[in-house]
Amino acid sequence: MMGGTVDILMYHSIAEAPGPTSIAPELFEAQMMALATSGLPVLRMDDVPAHLSGGQGRAVAITFDDGFRDFAEVAWPVLRRLDLSAMVYLPTDCMDGTERWDGAHDPPRPLMTWNEVRQLASDGVDFGNHTATHSDLSALDEAAIANELGTADARMQRELGRRPLHCAPPYGRSSDAARRIMARDRLTSVGTRLATAGPSSDLHDLPRLEMYYFTNLIRWRAHLEGRGGLYLQLRRAFRQIRSQIS
Ligand SMILES: [Zn+2]
């Protein structure tokens, strides 16, 4: 069959902190070194659609949600040294401040400033739309969805000089209306469903790999070597069971 697959990795904060949205710096570095030595190509999100439709074999893309300051201070120095590209999805009204949305840590963690974002953009980091206020798009009507995404587009155009072509709805939640609006003039949208993206994936509801599930480096290396299929299936089954009981 024509078309390749892409493991779209999902990170949030790279810090020594409790909870599934933080990965310790040393562990992040070890995950990235394993990736860099695996020989798998690491794509920018711009190149994911072409790989899925007409590429061959496995590839990886690296994404970060929320624009935490530790991306600039901890993650990017590692990625740059290993020559790996990354996409960071920004909640544009929250930048220059701290996380302040449902599910945020207490105390809230700092986000990057627009100055830092501009510097990183000039270093080659890609930025995408994570809405203006980090809202749950599945709970909004069409006009409110368009306003959340449009406000974030306009802010990124103003701050970075270009409109984002990629989008990640907060909490991985979207609706048919949200997916239709996200698809307008955009190359991809990513969710939080745990799977590898393939030729038949919806470009506006792409699955990702939550890297909190790969904090065991032996398991991560096994996945990179193509021996991780069973583990992913088990995690997916576990997630479905958990969603039924919580
Ligand atoms: Zn988020």
Side-chain angles (χ1 to χ4, degrees):
M1 185 160 92
M2 274 294 277
T5 65
V6 184
D7 284 335
I8 305 173
L9 315 187
M10 173 170 57
Y11 287 102
H12 291 81
S13 170
I14 304 302
E16 202 76 63
T21 59
S22 297
I23 289 200
E26 309 75 51
L27 181 55
F28 172 74
E29 184 165 8
Q31 287 173 331
M32 291 300 98
M33 284 175 65
L35 172 59
T37 55
S38 73
L40 290 175
V42 175
L43 307 179
R44 303 175 84 142
M45 287 306 294
D46 276 354
D47 300 320
V48 165
H51 184 77
L52 291 176
S53 63
Q56 268 189 1
R58 301 172 65 204
V60 176
I62 307 169
T63 71
F64 293 79
D65 285 11
D66 302 335
F68 288 110
R69 171 155 302 154
D70 51 56
F71 176 81
E73 293 174 347
V74 182
W76 180 239
V78 171
L79 294 166
R80 189 171 45 189
R81 182 162 48 79
L82 296 172
D83 201 22
L84 300 173
S85 60
M87 163 64 71
V88 185
Y89 298 102
L90 303 178
T92 56
D93 281 5
C94 306
M95 305 313 292
D96 285 328
T98 60
E99 59 180 335
R100 45 185 167 90
W101 52 73
D102 280 355
H105 271 207
D106 184 24
R109 294 166 289 187
L111 305 182
M112 291 187 279
T113 64
W114 281 110
N115 269 335
E116 287 169 315
V117 170
R118 271 190 295 276
Q119 178 60 50
L120 290 166
S122 72
D123 281 0
V125 176
D126 294 321
F127 291 96
N129 187 328
H130 198 45
T131 75
T133 67
H134 203 277
S135 61
D136 175 355
L137 295 183
S138 71
L140 302 180
D141 65 20
E142 292 204 23
I145 295 165
N147 185 52
E148 273 287 342
L149 294 170
T151 300
D153 281 346
R155 185 71 187 267
M156 291 181 74
Q157 172 78 54
R158 203 156 72 239
E159 300 283 356
L160 300 173
R162 58 179 297 209
R163 233 181 120 270
L165 297 175
H166 304 272
C167 176
Y171 315 103
R173 287 186 212 136
S174 63
S175 57
D176 288 344
R179 281 189 289 280
R180 199 166 56 244
I181 294 167
M182 286 191 292
R184 280 184 207 151
D185 315 317
R186 252 171 257 280
L187 297 177
T188 70
S189 310
V190 292
T192 56
R193 192 163 48 83
L194 185 68
T196 295
S200 61
S201 294
D202 178 349
L203 288 178
H204 294 286
D205 193 19
L206 289 170
R208 287 191 285 179
L209 298 188
E210 166 55 72
M211 290 305 286
Y212 185 70
Y213 291 148
F214 291 102
T215 48
N216 177 322
L217 285 171
I218 293 169
R219 202 166 268 151
W220 175 232
R221 288 194 193 98
H223 178 80
L224 290 170
E225 288 161 16
R227 297 184 282 110
L230 179 61
Y231 174 67
L232 264 186
Q233 282 167 26
L234 289 173
R235 290 307 313 208
R236 252 198 308 266
F238 173 70
R239 252 197 182 185
Q240 277 160 11
I241 291 162
R242 197 179 46 180
S243 72
Q244 284 162 23
I245 58 176
S246 62

